[in-house]
C-alpha cells in the first residue's frame, strides 16, 4: 500500500483497526483534512448521544443524510444538534482529539484525521458505552444501504456476502489543492473484521480520488489476515486409552 500511495500525485492518509488482532495501523496519521460528508457519521452519533427522539421526521432526515448524503438534511440536523460549539463538545466527550467542528454552518469544513475517524466508526462497529447496541444497529443499517452510486471507497474490492457499512465525503467545486475525497468503512465477513479510514486531498479530479481509495480498499482487504473460528474440540485421550475413529468426539 505504501508503494502504491507513493506512485500517486495526491496527499493520502490511511488508518486500519483490525479487531481480530486488536491492532491499529496508520499511514500519515498527523495530516488533517476537511471531512466533507464523512462528518455526517459523527452527526448521527451525536443525535443518539443527545437522545434526540427518532420520530418519523427524524428518521427521514437521518436516512437522507446517510443513505443519500443529502446536504439539506445534514444542515437541519446540524442546527438541531446546536451547531459547531455544541458539536465540538460532543467531539471532545467521545475522544475525537484532532477534530474541529466547522463554523458558520459549514459542517463539511470540520477538520479531522484518520485516527479520529477510526475512533468514530468503531463506536458503530463494536459495543461501547457511548452508543447502545440498538443505536449501533440503526446506524450501521443506514451505512449499509447508501445509494448505489456512493458504494465506492472503503467498500470497494470486498467480496459478495461480506458486510460493508460506509460513509463517503467529497467536494468537486474547489480547486485541486482543496479537492477532498474521503471514505470511512466497517468490513466484517469471511474471517475478517476491521474498520478503515482513507482521507485524501490534492486530487486532480473526483475520479482520481475515488480511484485511489478504491485501490487502497482492495489492498487492505487482501492483506488483513483471516481469523476463522474453530469447528470443534477433540477429546484428549488418557494415558491408557487407544486412539481410533470411534473414540473421536467433536463437540
Amino acid at each position: 500500500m505504501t508503494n502504491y500511495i507513493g506512485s500517486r500525485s495526491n496527499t493520502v492518509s490511511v488508518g486500519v483497526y483490525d479487531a481480530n488482532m486488536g491492532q491499529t495501523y496508520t499511514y500519515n496519521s498527523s495530516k488533517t483534512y476537511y471531512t466533507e460528508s464523512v462528518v455526517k457519521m459523527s452527526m448521527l452519533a451525536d443525535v443518539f448521544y443527545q437522545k434526540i427522539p427518532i420520530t418519523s421526521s427524524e428518521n427521514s432526515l437521518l436516512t437522507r443524510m446517510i443513505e443519500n448524503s443529502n446536504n439539506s438534511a445534514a444542515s437541519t440536523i446540524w442546527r438541531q444538534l446546536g451547531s459547531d460549539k455544541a458539536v465540538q463538545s460532543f467531539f471532545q466527550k467521545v475522544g475525537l482529539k484532532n477534530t474541529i467542528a466547522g463554523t458558520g454552518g459549514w459542517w463539511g469544513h470540520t477538520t479531522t484525521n484518520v485516527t479520529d475517524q477510526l475512533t468514530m466508526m468503531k463506536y458503530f462497529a463494536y459495543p461501547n458505552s457511548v452508543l447502545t447496541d440498538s443505536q449501533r444497529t440503526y446506524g450501521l443499517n443506514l451505512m449499509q444501504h447508501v445509494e448505489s452510486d456512493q458504494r465506492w471507497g472503503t467498500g470497494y474490492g470486498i467480496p459478495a456476502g461480506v458486510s460493508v457499512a460506509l460513509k463517503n465525503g467529497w467536494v468537486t467545486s474547489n480547486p485541486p489543492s482543496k479537492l477532498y475525497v474521503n471514505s470511512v468503512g466497517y468490513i466484517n465477513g469471511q474471517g475478517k473484521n476491521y474498520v478503515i479510514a482513507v482521507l485524501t486531498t490534492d486530487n486532480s479530479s473526483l475520479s482520481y480520488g475515488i480511484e485511489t481509495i478504491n485501490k487502497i480498499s482492495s489492498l487492505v482487504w487482501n492483506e488483513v489476515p483471516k481469523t476463522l473460528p474453530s469447528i470443534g474440540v477433540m477429546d484428549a485421550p488418557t494415558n491408557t486409552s487407544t486412539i481410533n475413529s470411534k473414540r473421536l468426539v467433536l463437540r
Side-chain angles (χ1 to χ4, degrees):
M1 186 189 72
T2 302
N3 290 338
Y4 173 71
I5 293 174
S7 73
R8 306 295 282 176
S9 62
N10 49 358
T11 301
V12 181
S13 294
V14 183
V16 177
Y17 170 72
D18 182 354
N20 289 335
M21 303 298 291
Q23 295 290 329
T24 299
Y25 309 90
T26 60
Y27 175 90
N28 196 21
S29 62
S30 63
K31 170 68 177 175
T32 59
Y33 300 77
Y34 282 155
T35 57
E36 306 304 342
S37 287
V38 163
V39 75
K40 293 170 182 175
M41 175 179 61
S42 299
M43 292 161 63
L44 174 62
D46 197 1
V47 167
F48 294 145
Y49 188 79
Q50 292 193 27
K51 297 181 172 57
I52 296 175
I54 308 299
T55 62
S56 59
S57 176
E58 298 305 313
N59 179 67
S60 176
L61 283 170
L62 295 174
T63 299
R64 288 161 52 210
M65 181 177 75
I66 301 298
E67 293 188 2
N68 311 116
S69 205
N70 184 277
N71 291 338
S72 176
S75 293
T76 299
I77 293 294
W78 186 260
R79 290 191 295 271
Q80 290 180 356
L81 291 172
S83 298
D84 55 291
K85 291 183 179 180
V87 174
Q88 185 62 42
S89 177
F90 168 71
F91 290 159
Q92 294 171 346
K93 289 176 181 177
V94 298
L96 303 189
K97 301 177 181 179
N98 301 287
T99 301
I100 306 298
T103 60
W106 291 94
W107 43 261
H109 284 186
T110 297
T111 55
T112 193
N113 64 10
V114 290
T115 301
D116 278 7
Q117 291 309 299
L118 287 182
T119 296
M120 178 49 62
M121 182 56 92
K122 285 163 68 176
Y123 282 124
F124 286 99
Y126 311 112
N128 60 85
S129 60
V130 173
L131 302 182
T132 67
D133 288 346
S134 61
Q135 289 171 337
R136 291 173 47 240
T137 298
Y138 179 98
L140 288 173
N141 182 66
L142 293 180
M143 287 184 275
Q144 289 165 346
H145 292 89
V146 297
E147 60 184 55
S148 58
D149 62 337
Q150 296 177 26
R151 293 178 187 172
W152 47 267
T154 51
Y156 188 86
I158 310 302
V162 174
S163 176
V164 175
L166 62 80
K167 186 69 195 83
N168 297 330
W170 65 95
V171 62
T172 58
S173 59
N174 289 342
S177 62
K178 294 188 179 298
L179 207 167
Y180 295 88
V181 185
N182 308 317
S183 184
V184 183
Y186 170 48
I187 314 301
N188 183 20
Q190 295 190 12
K192 304 187 181 190
N193 189 310
Y194 63 92
V195 168
I196 175 173
V198 186
L199 307 178
T200 77
T201 190
D202 302 321
N203 292 286
S204 58
S205 65
L206 173 61
S207 61
Y208 191 86
I210 291 175
E211 180 183 82
T212 300
I213 302 176
N214 285 353
K215 180 63 174 179
I216 290 172
S217 175
S218 298
L219 290 170
V220 170
W221 169 261
N222 290 334
E223 292 300 324
V224 169
K226 290 183 178 181
T227 300
L228 298 175
S230 58
I231 60 172
V233 178
M234 186 166 63
D235 280 353
T238 63
N239 290 335
T240 59
S241 63
T242 301
I243 299 177
N244 60 58
S245 61
K246 293 182 179 180
R247 294 182 64 86
L248 297 180
V249 180
L250 290 178
R251 292 176 180 157

